[in-house]
Amino acid sequence: MAGQAGSFKLMKSLNRALILQTIRESEPISRSEIAKRTKLTPPTVTNIVNELLEEELVLESKVGSSNGGRKPIMLTIHADSRYTIGVDVGVKKIRLSLMNMNARIDQTKRVEMPERLTNDTFLSLLETSIEDFLEEIGAYKDSVIGVGIAMHGIVDATSGESIHAPTLKLRHVPIKASLEAALSLPVFVENDAKAMALGEKWFGAGKDYSSFISVNIGEGVGAGVVIRDKLWSGATGLAGEIGHTVLHPDGPTCSCGRKGCLQAFVSGEALRLQAAQAPEESALKKIKEADGAAVYEAAKSGDDFSQRVLREAGKYLGLGLVNIVHFMNPKLVIIGGGVAKAEEYLEAPMKQVLGERALTEDAGETEVVFSPLGEKAALIGAGTLVLSHLFHYEQAGKL
Ligand SMILES: [Zn+2]
């Protein structure tokens, strides 16, 4: 098992990352097949694979098929040999998870977010939450290779800084620098919707697509754009902020302070504001401070008003999709996040609007699916941030 001090070193070799990635994508796979695909020499592959076997990152598994001759020994990733800590920083809570290399989440923790925060109190809350969680996971602690943080708002993924987290009213928070100093573990930070897109690419609906868009509808609305297997950040990290594209210049006020953003029509916050306006006969009237989840529960138990609110949100989501489809023409759009749980009410109106407004028949039939990762999508995405640095050739080279 690699100790924490060894973690940085673990991620350094490009060839190792390339071989690990090749095994992950094609396991079970033989040494000679790895050499063929990576164009590395057989002795290089053998040396590195021996190292990986010694470090228990890779396992020799069942014997592969062969037409006569010696049957090759096959290699697989030893998914339980290393773990990541995934942290989803929301508006009201921080969620933490312990994840193996196959995106299996073994333990979680939730920490409430206080109302008012400064950069310093936020960083110390984050640090204490992760330190407490590392204690709680006991013996697993030594197998943790890094921490991935899915943070809402604008993030500079290279420096690991939160540039602007509008709902927490924070700017320029040096998350990576601060946590790496405190935890002695590699820390990776990314916008939450982008982290989710990465999780979808590795473990979810985006697995077989090299380009797609994943839309996160939670307290806020954002998207991760994957182009040719890579996350697209834009010039200054803003790419994918579709929650603040405008559907109606005089529409409801968004959390960003401007009017009529997509987010102001479909987010959890938008549902909560509408629940507060519920008529007397609605079941929501009996619930104190009904939120998006309450609207969904009420809809399921037959509340007419709640069903209408969700179908209406579905229509606006459809308008958001119309804009995405005309601008990017993606092959696949994945819808995830807390609000996406109300799939049964959102889907039909959403697809109807897309069909009606798309310029071509093909565009109207763009594949739109709800995330198979469900509520775990952000946590899996956060954990995958770490895995992507362990496995990915190009990113590992930057460490
Ligand atoms: Zn906005």
Side-chain angles (χ1 to χ4, degrees):
M1 294 275 169
Q4 290 177 20
S7 298
F8 281 103
K9 201 175 148 230
L10 181 76
M11 295 184 176
K12 277 201 170 153
S13 157
L14 295 179
N15 288 344
R16 280 170 57 108
L18 181 58
I19 288 176
L20 273 171
Q21 178 71 355
T22 308
I23 299 174
R24 192 187 83 82
E25 280 171 357
S26 314
E27 62 183 355
I29 185 170
S30 68
R31 286 168 174 82
S32 61
E33 188 60 30
I34 294 172
K36 220 186 279 173
R37 293 195 191 188
T38 57
K39 300 194 170 63
L40 294 170
T41 63
T44 305
V45 172
T46 300
N47 282 340
I48 293 176
V49 165
N50 283 345
E51 263 178 52
L52 295 173
L53 283 168
E54 199 157 303
E55 290 167 28
E56 298 176 357
L57 265 165
V58 161
L59 290 175
E60 283 182 332
S61 84
K62 57 184 182 292
V63 173
S65 62
S66 168
N67 303 320
R70 201 156 55 95
K71 289 184 176 179
I73 294 166
M74 305 299 270
L75 300 162
T76 57
I77 296 295
H78 185 192
D80 286 334
S81 69
R82 301 293 190 281
Y83 284 80
T84 64
I85 303 288
V87 184
D88 173 25
V89 181
V91 176
K92 292 174 183 153
K93 59 188 184 294
I94 298 173
R95 291 190 301 158
L96 301 100
S97 64
L98 174 70
M99 186 179 101
N100 83 344
M101 293 200 287
N102 271 344
R104 192 192 66 225
I105 289 181
D106 284 349
Q107 207 169 316
T108 58
K109 179 188 177 76
R110 216 180 136 112
V111 179
E112 296 302 315
M113 194 88 87
E115 288 271 320
R116 264 184 221 100
L117 286 163
T118 63
N119 284 9
D120 286 342
T121 54
F122 171 67
L123 282 173
S124 79
L125 177 69
L126 206 49
E127 184 191 319
T128 319
S129 307
I130 297 169
E131 274 170 349
D132 289 351
F133 191 55
L134 283 167
E135 285 310 311
E136 285 165 29
I137 61 175
Y140 287 109
K141 189 178 169 183
D142 290 337
S143 314
V144 170
I145 53 168
V147 178
I149 314 253
M151 174 78 188
H152 79 273
I154 312 300
V155 170
D156 179 338
T158 309
S159 65
E161 179 181 327
S162 160
I163 306 289
H164 186 200
T167 359
L168 295 178
K169 297 186 175 65
L170 299 178
R171 282 177 192 272
H172 298 293
V173 193
I175 298 178
K176 180 182 170 79
S178 165
L179 289 181
E180 280 188 344
L183 302 169
S184 302
L185 277 170
V187 175
F188 305 98
V189 190
E190 184 54 278
N191 162 270
D192 52 2
K194 290 191 177 76
M196 283 167 81
L198 195 65
E200 294 291 348
K201 170 73 196 148
W202 279 55
F203 300 109
K207 248 195 266 181
D208 299 325
Y209 292 76
S210 69
S211 304
F212 64 89
I213 294 177
S214 139
V215 182
N216 171 33
I217 314 167
E219 281 303 305
V221 176
V225 182
V226 174
I227 300 177
R228 295 196 182 121
D229 299 324
K230 291 201 179 80
L231 278 174
W232 177 255
S233 290
T236 56
L238 213 69
E241 285 294 330
I242 56 149
H244 304 286
T245 55
V246 182
L247 290 190
H248 195 309
D250 300 315
T253 304
C254 178
S255 64
C256 72
R258 296 161 185 90
K259 279 181 186 264
C261 301
L262 169 62
Q263 184 168 308
F265 291 97
V266 302
S267 65
E269 171 73 359
L271 297 180
R272 189 181 64 75
L273 290 172
Q274 289 188 68
Q277 307 292 322
E280 279 310 318
E281 65 272 19
S282 168
L284 290 174
K285 268 289 176 205
K286 298 184 195 83
I287 303 166
K288 213 176 140 212
E289 292 174 19
D291 58 4
V295 174
Y296 175 53
E297 289 306 320
K300 275 201 298 186
S301 58
D303 185 55
D304 196 46
F305 173 78
S306 300
Q307 290 179 359
R308 259 186 294 136
V309 164
L310 290 173
R311 287 201 192 96
E312 199 64 12
K315 270 196 220 168
Y316 284 107
L317 184 56
L319 288 175
L321 280 178
V322 168
N323 294 343
I324 290 175
V325 164
H326 287 134
F327 186 59
M328 294 292 287
N329 190 18
K331 201 170 179 188
L332 170 75
V333 181
I334 305 166
I335 312 275
V339 175
K341 257 201 277 183
E343 176 182 345
E344 60 197 286
Y345 302 102
L346 300 171
E347 189 175 22
M350 175 187 87
K351 288 192 169 164
Q352 191 184 337
V353 169
L354 178 61
E356 284 167 0
R357 287 184 171 254
L359 277 181
T360 63
E361 212 171 303
D362 284 346
E365 286 165 7
T366 302
E367 194 180 353
V368 184
V369 300
F370 283 80
S371 168
L373 304 179
E375 281 183 286
K376 291 182 193 157
L379 288 173
I380 290 176
T384 308
L385 286 174
V386 182
L387 295 182
S388 72
H389 286 81
L390 174 66
F391 285 85
H392 261 212
Y393 173 79
E394 287 170 44
Q395 289 176 343
K398 287 181 193 156
L399 286 169

